[in-house]
Amino acid sequence: MTKIEIDILGGGREVGRSAILLKANEKKVLFDYGVMFSDGEPEFPLHVAPKEIDAIFLSHAHLDHSGGLPLLYVTENPKLITTKLTAEITELLIQDFIHISGYFLPYEHLELKSMMQSVTPINYNDSMKIGPLTVKFLNAGHIPGSIMTILEVNNKRILYTGDINTINTRLLKGAPKKLPKLDAIIIESTYATVNHPDRKETEKKFIKGITEVVDNGGIVLIPAFSVGRSQEVLCIIRAYKLKYPVTLDGMARKASRIMLRHPRFFRNYKLLVRALEKAKWVSGWSDRRKACKKPGIIVSPAGMLKGGNAVFYMKKLARNERNAVFLVSYQIPGTPGHILLESGVFNFGKKVEKVKSRVEWFDFSSHCGRKELLEIIGKMKKDTKVILVHGEEGDIEKLGEEIVEEFKLEVIVPKNGDKIEI
Ligand SMILES: [Zn+2]
Ligand SMILES: [Zn+2]
């Protein structure tokens, strides 16, 4: 029986630039091809010759999985297999990436256009054949449109999770916990050592916080990522039937418009529609200024306060103790959001000042925590190879050791450039 070879091109002991090449029976397929940001400069995965690729499977739209893809469309047009929703959101995010990156990006709108023309759309639970390979796609529960991919060849079955969440959120159904028998699982490890608090409890604390602030005449600013988190927050607010005015700003508006065209990917599409209908979509600066004048809720990117209209709202609102800033996503160290949480200060433009409004952080993660990762891995059969990717150096090895000890499975924590045989 011929072997299957897995080449780690990116995302080995790092979170960013995910890229995995799989070779079997003369076929080569690629899972994701992302970008990583360190010190502002984009870093791409190891090279792969696009003309040798038979198909690319894109797990979801986040740039750490999609941001390198246009590089593969400079001279070739490899088939890009993903959900229609992921393709459209990816286009939006890469357009924005090109726009903000300026001259140093090694591709342009033309390559993005070729990429979009190469999309073969699939849905959850679809199967397809690529020569001797059989491929199936499952909901990954991470962001709207996200998939896990199961690949079968030579009587072997391999799963690539992409980014994954097994719990139900307001917006999305969790990824299925019951998986078929696998010979290898390539699984993300973002929260290798961290457990998330109970989701319902977090929601309740969040709603209580909003109620306290707005009933007291204040405004709650919720800086949130455009894709997924903004809509999740709006759905939570709607599910608890809060009557306060809600304002939606930034790229979250464009992302929401795309999502509204794809009902099938949502857990409760009606809730999403109602949540988005109830919100006031900002259409210009006068709307923005108005939103700062009356008690209510403002949802606006960027999620870590690194640019976007959230910065405008911070300048307007954060000096007033009546108001609040509720951060709802992971804050990368060094970002203004992280600095705000750690030291209670914000750069208001002219100088760095103490923030007077209430500042809180809520864990509405869209990734499995440590507990959920172990739950998935604990169900694997005894000869399944566990390949851990997409995790911070240090933490990811710790998770690996834990799996070996607890489940006696073979664990591989590859570095970029490593090759694994199945
Ligand atoms: Zn992601
Ligand atoms: Zn990711």
Side-chain angles (χ1 to χ4, degrees):
M1 201 184 294
T2 42
K3 294 262 186 207
I4 301 167
E5 187 184 308
I6 294 169
D7 295 0
I8 308 295
L9 305 181
R13 301 193 188 192
E14 62 186 8
V15 177
R17 57 170 167 183
S18 284
I20 289 158
L21 185 69
L22 185 145
K23 301 176 201 165
N25 293 25
E26 312 295 308
K27 290 279 172 192
K28 281 188 190 176
V29 293
L30 184 64
F31 297 107
D32 295 344
Y33 204 70
V35 62
M36 182 156 80
F37 306 93
S38 43
D39 309 320
E41 285 283 321
E43 284 181 61
F44 295 98
L46 300 176
H47 176 74
V48 53
K51 72 165 180 297
E52 293 173 12
I53 298 174
D54 295 285
I56 304 166
F57 306 111
L58 173 59
S59 64
H60 66 288
H62 282 152
L63 290 174
D64 61 320
H65 298 257
S66 69
L69 284 174
L71 285 173
L72 307 172
Y73 293 84
V74 177
T75 53
E76 302 293 325
N77 295 297
K79 198 187 265 188
L80 180 61
I81 299 163
T82 191
T83 61
K84 195 141 194 294
L85 177 53
T86 292
E88 288 180 23
I89 298 175
T90 300
E91 184 180 29
L92 176 70
L93 294 182
I94 294 181
Q95 267 167 357
D96 184 60
F97 182 43
I98 294 172
H99 182 74
I100 58 170
S101 306
Y103 59 92
F104 59 80
L105 208 54
Y107 58 75
E108 253 300 332
H109 289 283
L110 193 65
E111 285 74 38
L112 177 61
K113 204 174 151 202
S114 313
M115 182 191 107
M116 289 304 291
Q117 284 166 348
S118 307
V119 171
T120 302
I122 49 91
N123 285 313
Y124 297 160
N125 303 315
D126 279 2
S127 295
M128 70 190 302
K129 276 208 156 273
I130 296 167
L133 315 180
T134 306
V135 194
K136 189 174 178 185
F137 309 97
L138 301 176
N139 167 33
H142 170 58
I143 61 166
S146 59
I147 50 165
M148 300 194 272
T149 309
I150 295 178
L151 189 143
E152 284 178 35
V153 62
N154 300 340
N155 282 322
K156 291 213 168 118
R157 193 184 285 132
I158 293 167
L159 170 73
Y160 172 60
T161 63
D163 290 356
I164 182 180
N165 196 9
T166 46
I167 66 156
N168 284 335
T169 62
R170 294 285 170 180
L171 195 61
L172 303 175
K173 258 177 109 159
K177 286 185 178 175
K178 207 172 151 24
L179 296 169
K181 283 208 166 86
L182 299 169
D183 296 283
I185 181 168
I186 308 168
I187 185 166
E188 69 122 317
S189 323
T190 317
Y191 289 92
T193 58
V194 178
N195 279 322
H196 299 308
D198 179 75
R199 188 82 172 194
K200 265 275 158 58
E201 291 305 314
T202 309
E203 281 189 358
K204 281 185 196 152
K205 234 177 74 197
F206 177 65
I207 293 295
K208 187 165 169 271
I210 292 177
T211 310
E212 284 164 4
V213 174
V214 185
D215 281 352
N216 192 34
I219 298 169
V220 180
L221 170 63
I222 305 172
F225 295 133
S226 309
V227 176
R229 198 60 45 87
S230 292
Q231 294 79 18
E232 172 72 8
V233 162
L234 293 177
C235 285
I236 295 169
I237 291 166
R238 181 67 204 148
Y240 283 83
K241 301 194 165 52
L242 294 191
K243 292 281 186 285
Y244 313 124
V246 178
T247 304
L248 178 68
D249 202 352
M251 211 170 66
R253 294 166 298 171
K254 269 190 190 164
S256 299
R257 222 167 271 136
I258 295 174
M259 289 176 203
L260 286 172
R261 292 202 299 267
H262 300 277
R264 66 167 74 219
F265 296 101
F266 296 90
R267 179 179 171 209
N268 185 345
Y269 179 69
K270 271 192 193 144
L271 176 66
L272 174 67
V273 171
R274 280 203 303 269
L276 287 169
E277 270 172 6
K278 282 279 170 191
K280 163 84 188 158
W281 294 37
V282 168
S283 63
W285 283 102
S286 89
D287 282 351
R288 245 161 240 143
R289 279 187 286 268
K290 254 191 240 162
C292 295
K293 283 184 182 137
K294 55 174 192 294
I297 304 160
I298 301 169
V299 179
S300 175
M304 301 186 218
L305 293 173
K306 216 177 161 190
N309 294 315
V311 174
F312 163 81
Y313 292 116
M314 276 300 287
K315 290 179 184 169
K316 279 273 185 199
L317 303 171
R319 287 190 182 95
N320 186 336
E321 64 235 347
R322 204 173 267 206
N323 299 330
V325 188
F326 285 178
L327 296 159
V328 288
S329 38
Y330 174 71
Q331 306 291 314
I332 296 175
T335 58
H338 190 261
I339 294 168
L340 175 63
L341 282 176
E342 291 293 299
S343 349
V345 297
F346 184 73
N347 187 347
F348 282 87
K350 289 199 180 74
K351 63 174 181 159
V352 176
E353 287 175 44
K354 197 105 191 137
V355 166
K356 291 207 178 99
S357 28
R358 173 172 166 180
V359 176
E360 273 187 66
W361 178 74
F362 297 89
D363 186 345
F364 287 122
S365 179
S366 57
H367 291 268
C368 282
R370 174 185 160 279
K371 183 174 137 249
E372 291 81 21
L373 290 174
L374 290 174
E375 238 168 57
I376 300 171
I377 294 162
K379 286 190 190 131
M380 295 295 122
K381 63 184 174 85
K382 288 299 161 209
D383 57 350
T384 307
K385 280 195 169 86
V386 179
I387 302 166
L388 300 178
V389 294
H390 197 287
E392 295 292 347
E393 179 110 55
D395 292 347
I396 194 164
E397 292 97 317
K398 259 188 226 154
L399 179 69
E401 286 160 21
E402 209 176 333
I403 296 165
V404 171
E405 207 156 290
E406 196 158 328
F407 306 120
K408 314 278 180 271
L409 292 167
E410 184 187 345
V411 177
I412 302 156
V413 188
K415 292 191 281 291
N416 293 341
D418 282 359
K419 290 178 194 301
I420 300 157
E421 279 200 347
I422 305 290

